[in-house]
């Protein structure tokens, strides 16, 4: 694929790309991996702490404590996105903030904030669901396929 792109470039463009590649600073991969791992881990640690709090202080069971935990994490992520804090954390941490549920909440809240000038329905709602729609469709389709597989397994054995 990269060779196909290079074939379409003129010799001057190819020369420029080679020059730019030579002067490009190397990526600090170990630092980036470490930051992403630590940040994602801290987010998950906070989630685990919240879940333990719901179990100990609010009489939830291990099975039922997950829903309020996720709700608090989503709310906190959306709030921090609105305040501009989550984006600064994400710039430092890289992919570590995008993996947990907080990353999804951040992307939804960012889309809503970015398009609020277009109105609540077409701006905020429409752009939030452009992003969320694909995730929801994938989740529903995956659940459907898993349900069919489970039913077939039960019928067969």
């Amino acid at each position: 694929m990269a060779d196909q792109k290079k074939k379409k470039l003129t010799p001057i463009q190819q020369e420029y790309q080679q020059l730019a590649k030579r002067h490009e600073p190397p990526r600090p991969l170990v630092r980036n991996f470490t930051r992403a791992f630590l940040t994602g881990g801290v987010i998950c640690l906070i989630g685990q702490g919240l879940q333990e709090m719901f179990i100990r202080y609010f009489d939830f069971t291990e099975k039922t404590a997950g829903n309020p935990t996720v709700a608090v994490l989503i709310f906190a992520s959306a709030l921090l996105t609105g305040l501009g804090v989550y984006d600064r954390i994400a710039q430092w941490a890289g992919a570590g903030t995008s993996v947990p549920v907080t990353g999804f909440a951040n992307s939804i809240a960012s889309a809503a904030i970015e398009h609020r000038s277009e109105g609540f329905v077409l701006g905020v709602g429409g752009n939030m669901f452009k992003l969320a729609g694909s995730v929801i469709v994938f989740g529903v389709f995956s659940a459907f396929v898993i349900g069919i597989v489970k039913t077939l397994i039960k019928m067969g054995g």
Side-chain angles (χ1 to χ4, degrees):
M1 180 97 180
D3 291 337
Q4 290 174 348
K5 274 189 169 182
K6 284 188 178 184
K7 287 180 184 176
K8 294 180 183 178
L9 298 177
T10 66
I12 294 173
Q13 290 171 327
Q14 289 177 356
E15 184 181 330
Y16 177 77
Q17 281 191 342
Q18 291 170 355
L19 177 70
K21 193 174 260 187
R22 281 195 305 264
H23 292 289
E24 183 178 302
R27 293 182 184 177
L29 292 177
V30 174
R31 186 190 76 189
N32 291 348
F33 292 153
T34 304
R35 285 181 177 183
F37 177 78
L38 290 175
T39 305
V42 166
I43 291 170
C44 293
L45 183 68
I46 290 168
Q48 188 64 43
L50 284 168
Q51 185 172 2
E52 292 298 322
M53 181 191 73
F54 282 118
I55 292 169
R56 284 202 181 138
Y57 300 113
F58 297 102
D59 295 326
F60 282 89
T61 64
E62 279 190 38
K63 199 171 190 176
T64 60
N67 291 336
T69 300
V70 170
V72 169
L73 287 172
I74 289 171
F75 176 77
S77 175
L79 179 66
L80 291 174
T81 299
L83 297 173
V85 174
Y86 200 93
D87 292 336
R88 280 186 264 155
I89 295 169
Q91 284 177 344
W92 183 84
T97 58
S98 64
V99 175
V101 70
T102 55
F104 182 65
N106 168 260
S107 60
I108 297 293
S110 294
I113 291 168
E114 186 176 332
H115 298 285
R116 69 178 179 262
S117 63
E118 297 174 25
F120 284 120
V121 175
L122 296 178
V124 175
N127 285 294
M128 278 176 30
F129 287 107
K130 277 183 191 174
L131 182 66
S134 59
V135 175
I136 292 168
V137 167
F138 181 76
V140 169
F141 179 73
S142 298
F144 176 74
V145 169
I146 289 171
I148 288 175
V149 169
K150 184 177 178 181
T151 302
L152 291 174
I153 289 171
K154 282 187 173 183
M155 289 172 65

